[in-house]
Amino acid sequence: MDFASFLIQTLNSLQYGLLLFLVASGLTLVFGIMGIINLAHGSFYMIGAYLAFVLTSATGSLVLAVVLGIPLALAFGAFLEWALFSHLYKRDHLEQVLLTYGLILIFEQLRSLLVGDDVHGVAIPAFLDASIQLTEVMSYPVYRLAISAICIVLAVALYYLIQRTRLGMMIRAGNDDRGMVEALGININMIYRVVFALGVALAALAGMLAAPISSVFPNMGSHVLIISFVIVVIGGIGSVWGALVAALIVGFADTFGKVLVPELSGIVVYVVMAVVLLWRPEGILKKG
Amino acid sequence: MSVTTKNEVLLQADKLTRRFGGLVANQDISVTLERQMIHVLLGPNGAGKSTCINMLSGDLPPSEGRIHYLGRDITALTAAQRSQVGIGRSYQRTNIFPQFTVLENVRLAAQSRRQQPWRLFSKAMEQKWALEKARACIEEAGLGKRVDWVSGVLSHGEQRQLEIAMVLATDAQVLLLDEPLAGMGSEESASMVEVLKRLRQTRGILLVEHDMDAVFAVADMITVMVNGQLLECGPPAQIKASVAVQQAYLGTEDSFHV
Amino acid sequence: MNANASLIPKLVALAIVACVPLSGESFYIEMVGKVLVMAIFAMSLDLLVGFTGLVSFGHAAYFGIAAYAVAILSPEYEAASLWYVLPASVGLSALAAFVIGLFVLRTKGIYFIMVTLAFAQMAYFIFHDTPLGGGSDGKYLNNKPSASIFGWEPFDLTNEVHMFYFVLAVLVLVYLFLARVLQSPFGRVLVGIKSNEHRMQSLGYYTFRYKLGAFTLAGALGGLAGFLYAVLSGFVTPELLSWHESGNVLLMVILGGMGNLAGAIAGAFAFEAMREIFADITKYWQLLMGGVIVAVVLFLPGGLAGVPGRIKRALQGGDAK
């Protein structure tokens, strides 16, 4: 591998890892704070991608689609939390698995009913549809760089939100000690709703951003879901920064795995997970 | 430590310290337990008694300090391994298998001494030795009338007795009992005290207990803890007379712990 | 246990199922045969979920590994010996479960669910991506294994009726085996672990070893089901290892009431029946299935925990003291 292709693969790894972080951060927060295992989280990614497809077709612009899609995703997340997930907090994991598994069936079938089972492409916004010349023969698409940039901005915003704001303080407290939060008279239900909606919106946004690169296709959420599980396992449940580190590890392992050992590329990330499990069963950044 | 006897030292903890993040839950706690002795751990809520008992039972690894059992260093052993060497415990919150009968709870405890997991085709209920031992332990804990009851429907006090029967069925030489009298009526309490006295004849008992009457009725040795620190250790008469204990615990409890 | 009261309905059900080949309809014989295979699969998972309290979301891996093993180990142009491929495929599933168990059993709760799922996905990709498994199209089993022993052939698996009764016999044997295991000291420890693992440890049990034993045994029996499936259907695809399969078998266990072997069998029948009925009503049957699942979780007061007990009491016709 020469330097230029190494550089390209590195950029691809970063972009893929950061995108996965958007999905996994919501998943790990919901796990960590609410103690809920949500198999339907991958569906939010799928829904985001299909929103991008439908809204871009309607408005002619992916940017507009994202601007419209995010509030929709937030509202959808808040609604789901209110209607379904708020009933799951005190249930055991098996029931959570069951309900969210049922949701996947429903979401996929609705998707099939409303949009069909075909694969669709989504156009890259014109102003990002360019490439940067790396060497004389190799160039890199600006759109992928833009995805990385957006994800980095969001990661920084998430850091600020969790470390510096009152909401973030409550989130951290809820993560550590639910009883204390309630004792302080803070409305924990509101926190849950906000966090859940945020997680849905982040996953949907990841789907929207990925749509032009990966296209939009049935069951696209399930692979992302399982990879996100791997990230949460590697990073440690409830740790957003663990999720960031783990998402980057997975991004690099998967991207370079495809180049270096193409036949085994599907299992590289799982091998990484197995090694981490042996080394630290609670994840690399698990607190305490 | 003013009293010395000829009894065999069963359990010896040296300078156990346990930290949770920045919080020091136990600092330099040393406890000695001899055979035929009831050693009571006393202290206000939050003094760190449960932390201490958890370190002794292996449920919680100490941050510092060593634990010896019959002279052997057992600090690194897990809870299951400690049970196998002879340290048994009961829990502050009743911790039984509620859907099993009393007999099955204790039989399961007895079975742990002779595990033969590869014998997939033998019936557990036909292992005579375990059943006999279970019945004997149930009798010893004073629960003979309830052998065939589903344990979930027993009274609170009876469930505490069941816990003790389970510990006995594991051949424990050291009994770590976390508030066995909690929530008991005076009659139940009195019969439990009798059970404890009987068990003392051949074993060593470390007791965490709040009920002062019971404590002074059975204790051979008392260790008083306050805020994770060891305040005083000695026979009941010394503890009763201690000004420090009076101030810290017995008398002005409310003003002391925050 | 009131043995007689529970035995009669079971024997009646067995007799009814045993009459299916009398219909002479290949379609029904194969369909019911597949349900019986799923019932074996569901019982194997119930050992983990219902009796040991381990919610595995990757049980399809062991089903699929043995199914692929038959297809790979059988020579292309002649029949393999049943007495070689059967233990070999089941053994491979058991080995995989043992090795994966060493990893996943280090975790608990949500972690365990995720990690079992992830390892199953890893197995999926091994058969999907490598030349071993023949890609996403899967692999054909051209010749069903031969049961012949030194020239004597007790039964013929290429005969659909023989195959059906072979599956039914395996189901009965697995049921009797598991029922017996659950009464053994080993089985009692598993039930204790489900109830309160921490307490079992403080009683001196090295629970990890017991859980690993249960995980391996469940993997082997899941493999047995996968083996039968491959022989019955004549081909295997990576989808056998997919997480939808893991989810479906979990549903069967839950439908039948966890911790109840006969219930797991009933759950497999109920699941397949639901699928057939919903598919008859609409081609969007997943919508109905999903809706039913969500409604069951939301509207069963006290959660599903109460259901097994109710079903158990109903099935056993008395209290199980």
Side-chain angles (χ1 to χ4, degrees):
Chain A
M1 192 186 293
D2 59 47
F3 180 72
S5 47
F6 175 76
L7 187 63
I8 285 178
Q9 295 307 333
T10 303
L11 289 171
N12 278 343
S13 306
L14 271 177
Q15 177 258 313
Y16 182 49
L18 286 165
L19 202 64
L20 287 174
F21 167 69
L22 291 193
V23 184
S25 58
L27 197 61
T28 203
L29 278 174
V30 171
F31 281 145
I33 296 176
M34 310 177 195
I36 283 199
I37 175 161
N38 180 12
L39 298 181
H41 199 74
S43 298
F44 304 143
Y45 175 85
M46 180 273 289
I47 289 168
Y50 274 87
L51 268 181
F53 164 66
V54 171
L55 292 174
T56 307
S57 311
T59 65
S61 151
L62 179 63
V63 177
L64 261 180
V66 170
V67 170
L68 290 172
I70 287 177
L72 281 176
L74 279 170
F76 182 58
F79 169 75
L80 275 183
E81 199 275 345
W82 169 76
L84 295 177
F85 285 84
S86 58
H87 303 288
L88 283 181
Y89 297 137
K90 290 190 175 125
R91 303 293 194 84
D92 63 32
H93 296 325
L94 190 59
E95 290 174 278
Q96 300 170 354
V97 163
L98 208 58
L99 186 135
T100 55
Y101 183 70
L103 276 184
I104 295 177
L105 296 181
I106 294 174
F107 287 149
E108 281 296 334
Q109 194 79 79
L110 285 176
R111 188 260 317 135
S112 168
L113 264 167
L114 297 172
V115 198
D117 292 333
D118 297 331
V119 177
H120 298 284
V122 174
I124 294 174
F127 70 98
L128 291 173
D129 197 2
S131 56
I132 291 175
Q133 209 69 26
L134 290 179
T135 66
E136 280 174 25
V137 288
M138 288 191 181
S139 57
Y140 196 77
V142 170
Y143 184 70
R144 281 179 184 263
L145 290 176
I147 291 183
S148 295
I150 293 170
C151 292
I152 290 171
V153 169
L154 282 171
V156 171
L158 211 52
Y159 177 82
Y160 181 82
L161 176 78
I162 291 176
Q163 297 296 329
R164 297 290 152 81
T165 65
R166 196 173 142 71
L167 174 68
M169 195 192 78
M170 294 185 223
I171 290 174
R172 276 181 291 141
N175 202 344
D176 293 331
D177 183 1
R178 182 178 179 152
M180 192 190 86
V181 179
E182 276 167 351
L184 288 173
I186 293 166
N187 185 346
I188 196 127
N189 294 331
M190 207 33 145
I191 296 181
Y192 284 1
R193 193 152 305 158
V194 170
V195 170
F196 193 84
L198 195 66
V200 172
L202 284 170
L205 177 62
M208 294 184 219
L209 294 175
I213 297 179
S214 69
S215 301
V216 171
F217 55 93
N219 288 318
M220 64 188 292
S222 65
H223 179 64
V224 167
L225 171 77
I226 294 167
I227 291 290
S228 299
F229 276 176
V230 171
I231 290 170
V232 172
V233 169
I234 294 177
I237 285 182
S239 166
V240 175
W241 315 121
L244 179 59
V245 174
L248 290 173
I249 291 174
V250 167
F252 275 87
D254 190 69
T255 308
F256 279 90
K258 282 197 173 98
V259 179
L260 299 175
V261 280
E263 284 203 335
L264 295 175
S265 64
I267 64 171
V268 169
V269 295
Y270 301 102
V271 173
V272 173
M273 179 190 74
V275 171
V276 170
L277 274 179
L278 277 185
W279 171 48
R280 296 193 69 164
E282 300 267 88
I284 49 180
L285 280 190
K286 180 73 181 178
K287 277 180 259 177
Chain B
M1 307 246 182
S2 56
V3 172
T4 48
T5 62
K6 302 183 292 292
N7 284 337
E8 179 185 22
V9 173
L10 287 171
L11 195 64
Q12 175 130 32
D14 294 309
K15 300 204 161 198
L16 293 182
T17 297
R18 172 68 203 196
R19 296 182 204 93
F20 294 102
L23 180 83
V24 183
N26 266 207
Q27 183 154 32
D28 294 335
I29 304 294
S30 298
V31 182
T32 304
L33 182 65
E34 296 170 17
R35 201 184 284 280
Q36 297 184 341
M37 190 173 258
I38 295 182
H39 191 142
V40 178
L41 217 48
L42 209 58
N45 284 328
K49 305 182 298 285
S50 285
T51 302
C52 183
I53 216 168
N54 282 336
M55 288 194 286
L56 295 175
S57 69
D59 287 309
L60 199 64
S63 309
E64 282 165 36
R66 313 300 307 173
I67 303 166
H68 288 84
Y69 175 77
L70 290 173
R72 170 184 171 199
D73 189 336
I74 57 160
T75 318
L77 299 193
T78 62
Q81 288 169 322
R82 284 186 212 197
S83 163
Q84 289 294 346
V85 299
I87 301 173
R89 81 165 289 184
S90 75
Y91 288 83
Q92 190 176 359
R93 285 182 53 201
T94 302
N95 205 342
I96 55 174
F97 302 99
Q99 78 276 35
F100 294 170
T101 61
V102 167
L103 182 64
E104 178 60 3
N105 266 280
V106 186
R107 194 202 61 74
L108 203 51
Q111 183 190 309
S112 72
R113 296 307 107 171
R114 217 187 286 172
Q115 300 182 33
Q116 298 163 318
W118 54 89
R119 293 185 58 190
L120 291 178
F121 292 102
S122 68
K123 286 192 175 175
M125 292 315 272
E126 287 170 4
Q127 288 189 322
K128 288 226 168 51
W129 65 272
L131 284 171
E132 277 163 17
K133 186 157 161 195
R135 285 180 196 281
C137 294
I138 292 168
E139 206 60 53
E140 198 171 0
L143 211 51
K145 304 184 299 278
R146 299 282 186 256
V147 172
D148 291 324
W149 284 41
V150 172
S151 60
V153 305
L154 296 180
S155 76
H156 177 79
E158 287 168 338
Q159 292 188 349
R160 312 299 315 214
Q161 285 171 290
L162 172 56
E163 287 233 22
I164 290 185
M166 289 163 74
V167 176
L168 294 179
T170 64
D171 296 332
Q173 297 305 298
V174 167
L175 309 181
L176 306 172
L177 308 180
D178 200 348
E179 301 198 21
L181 303 175
M184 279 192 177
S186 58
E187 214 167 291
E188 285 180 321
S189 219
S191 81
M192 181 62 97
V193 165
E194 289 314 305
V195 170
L196 292 178
K197 284 180 175 167
R198 208 163 58 232
L199 297 179
R200 167 169 60 185
Q201 292 165 7
T202 53
R203 305 172 178 88
I205 301 176
L206 188 95
L207 201 64
V208 169
E209 194 44 68
H210 278 305
D211 182 338
M212 283 301 157
D213 294 338
V215 166
F216 286 103
V218 299
D220 300 297
M221 185 70 90
I222 297 177
T223 292
V224 183
M225 288 178 70
V226 168
N227 278 352
Q229 315 254 355
L230 196 147
L231 187 69
E232 184 135 5
C233 177
Q238 180 191 332
I239 298 298
K240 254 184 186 158
S242 161
V243 179
V245 174
Q246 292 276 335
Q247 279 179 344
Y249 182 52
L250 297 174
T252 53
E253 182 185 336
D254 289 337
S255 60
F256 189 82
H257 69 96
V258 195
Chain C
M1 196 188 299
N2 197 337
N4 291 331
S6 66
L7 196 59
I8 290 165
K10 283 172 192 164
L11 286 176
V12 170
L14 180 64
I16 292 171
V17 172
C19 289
V20 166
L22 300 181
S23 72
E25 300 265 354
S26 293
F27 175 76
Y28 289 114
I29 297 173
E30 186 172 342
M31 189 175 82
V32 176
K34 278 188 180 163
V35 180
L36 292 176
V37 168
M38 295 316 283
I40 297 170
F41 189 30
M43 279 195 286
S44 75
L45 181 62
D46 204 13
L47 178 67
L48 292 181
V49 179
F51 291 101
T52 318
L54 294 168
V55 181
S56 169
F57 205 76
H59 206 50
Y62 314 105
F63 186 87
I65 286 171
Y68 264 96
V70 205
I72 292 168
L73 292 176
S74 297
E76 202 165 341
Y77 299 110
E78 54 183 306
S81 165
L82 177 70
W83 313 113
Y84 154 61
V85 283
L86 175 61
S89 2
V90 170
L92 277 171
S93 278
L95 181 67
F98 179 79
V99 173
I100 291 174
L102 287 175
F103 287 86
V104 299
L105 291 168
R106 293 163 65 88
T107 66
K108 286 186 167 48
I110 290 180
Y111 262 109
F112 183 79
I113 298 171
M114 290 193 292
V115 174
T116 47
L117 175 56
F119 272 102
Q121 198 68 7
M122 179 172 168
Y124 171 87
F125 278 117
I126 287 177
F127 291 110
H128 188 276
D129 290 359
T130 64
L132 195 65
S136 57
D137 293 337
K139 221 173 160 66
Y140 278 91
L141 177 67
N142 293 325
N143 298 288
K144 299 193 176 188
S146 142
S148 103
I149 310 166
F150 302 118
W152 173 60
E153 197 164 12
F155 50 86
D156 174 13
L157 294 182
T158 58
N159 176 321
E160 63 185 14
V161 174
H162 285 202
M163 183 70 212
F164 181 90
Y165 284 117
F166 181 65
V167 172
L168 188 59
V170 172
L171 178 120
V172 171
L173 285 177
V174 168
Y175 175 85
L176 293 175
F177 170 70
L178 282 176
R180 185 81 198 207
V181 164
L182 287 164
Q183 289 184 355
S184 75
F186 173 76
R188 299 308 298 169
V189 173
L190 297 187
V191 177
I193 288 173
K194 185 192 182 200
S195 175
N196 190 339
E197 180 176 2
H198 179 232
R199 189 70 177 113
M200 291 302 283
Q201 286 169 339
S202 71
L203 287 177
Y205 286 101
Y206 304 125
T207 54
F208 183 88
R209 298 178 194 173
Y210 283 88
K211 289 194 292 182
L212 188 58
F215 202 78
T216 307
L217 187 57
L221 294 175
L224 181 58
F227 170 88
L228 293 172
Y229 182 89
V231 174
L232 192 63
S233 68
F235 71 95
V236 293
T237 73
E239 293 313 305
L240 295 180
L241 293 88
S242 76
W243 68 298
H244 292 281
E245 286 303 317
S246 296
N248 289 344
V249 68
L250 196 57
L251 273 178
M252 293 174 194
V253 170
I254 292 164
L255 275 176
M258 292 176 295
N260 183 326
L261 292 174
I265 300 173
F269 275 89
F271 178 86
E272 296 295 345
M274 256 164 78
R275 185 143 77 174
E276 290 294 321
I277 292 167
F278 289 157
D280 266 356
I281 298 173
T282 163
K283 70 173 181 165
Y284 303 112
W285 64 272
Q286 285 193 34
L287 202 59
L288 285 176
M289 188 70 119
V292 167
I293 296 169
V294 170
V296 162
V297 176
L298 282 184
F299 300 118
L300 271 184
L304 285 158
V307 178
R310 255 179 276 162
I311 292 175
K312 205 171 205 162
R313 275 191 294 281
L315 279 177
Q316 295 182 343
D319 66 324
K321 196 173 84 173

